[in-house]
Amino acid sequence: MNIEALMTKQGMRDFTDEQRQTFTNDAVQVRQIAQIIQARLAHTEIEGDRPGAAGRRARKVSRKLNRVARLLEKAAAETEAVNAVYVREVLELPDRRAKAIEAREQRRDRRQERKALARSAAGTAITKSLTKTVHTLNGTEPVGNPQVSPVQPVPQYVNPQPFQFPGATAAAAQPVPNISDIFRDQEAM
């Protein structure tokens, strides 16, 4: 195998395809062998076997072969993953880094533009405020905010007929009744 050819995108793709195909074919063959062995051992009785012992023995052997087949299928999947990781982490990495650097530069430029715009806006506001202050102190410009209207005085409400409630003083002079007097009156009812 040529290592230089393997380190290219197509070379790695061919290698992983070949390995994946080999592992997948081997897994299929091992599963078929497991089924054949299980069927054969299930019908082969050894002297002294109890009922069903041959079937249990056949399943034990078959289980190990099925595990081998599963591991071969996992190996095929991992081989496919090798290609994906190689492409992403080795072949595409320089392009991703260049794009990240470019995006970082664009963000920095936009940030600088926003800062410059904010500085110019702040400078304009300060200049406007200082100009207004100078004009106000010299008496050339009216004081106050042009957007706010002058405050109108709020009229005070005056009651045209002051009224005293009758009996307010009489109720205040009357003593508060005792609670036992009230309940004694109700018990009598």
Side-chain angles (χ1 to χ4, degrees):
M1 171 183 298
N2 184 0
I3 277 297
E4 294 302 320
L6 178 65
M7 299 309 286
T8 64
K9 187 173 186 174
Q10 188 59 43
M12 183 61 74
R13 174 81 263 169
D14 293 342
F15 171 74
T16 55
D17 282 346
E18 180 183 331
Q19 293 302 315
R20 180 179 40 84
Q21 192 66 31
T22 302
F23 289 140
T24 305
N25 289 340
D26 289 349
V28 169
Q29 289 175 359
V30 169
R31 282 197 195 283
Q32 288 174 347
I33 291 171
Q35 288 173 352
I36 293 169
I37 288 177
Q38 182 177 355
R40 197 144 201 211
L41 288 178
H43 296 299
T44 306
E45 293 200 15
I46 300 176
E47 185 178 333
D49 275 351
R50 293 186 178 184
R56 283 191 298 278
R57 191 172 34 251
R59 282 190 298 277
K60 284 182 183 178
V61 173
S62 175
R63 188 177 310 128
K64 295 297 181 183
L65 286 171
N66 283 326
R67 183 165 185 238
V68 170
R70 273 195 313 277
L71 290 173
L72 284 169
E73 289 167 349
K74 275 189 177 181
E78 290 297 323
T79 302
E80 191 63 32
V82 166
N83 182 55
V85 170
Y86 178 74
V87 169
R88 185 180 67 242
E89 297 295 327
V90 176
L91 300 178
E92 293 176 353
L93 184 63
D95 291 337
R96 280 202 327 268
R97 283 186 178 164
K99 287 178 184 176
I101 289 171
E102 183 180 333
R104 201 174 308 128
E105 294 291 328
Q106 288 176 351
R107 281 194 306 271
R108 191 183 70 215
D109 292 344
R110 284 195 305 266
R111 199 169 35 246
Q112 294 297 332
E113 289 172 6
R114 284 194 303 263
K115 284 181 182 179
L117 184 62
R119 277 190 224 116
S120 69
T124 303
I126 291 170
T127 304
K128 189 175 179 182
S129 174
L130 289 175
T131 304
K132 185 175 180 181
T133 303
V134 167
H135 287 303
T136 303
L137 291 175
N138 290 336
T140 57
E141 191 172 309
V143 178
N145 189 344
Q147 295 178 348
V148 177
S149 61
V151 176
Q152 300 292 330
V154 177
Q156 295 293 324
Y157 177 74
V158 178
N159 190 357
Q161 299 174 347
F163 184 72
Q164 288 289 344
F165 292 102
T169 56
Q174 213 175 18
V176 177
N178 191 348
I179 192 129
S180 61
D181 295 337
I182 295 172
F183 282 111
R184 237 184 277 139
D185 292 341
Q186 288 184 356
E187 289 177 4
M189 288 186 183

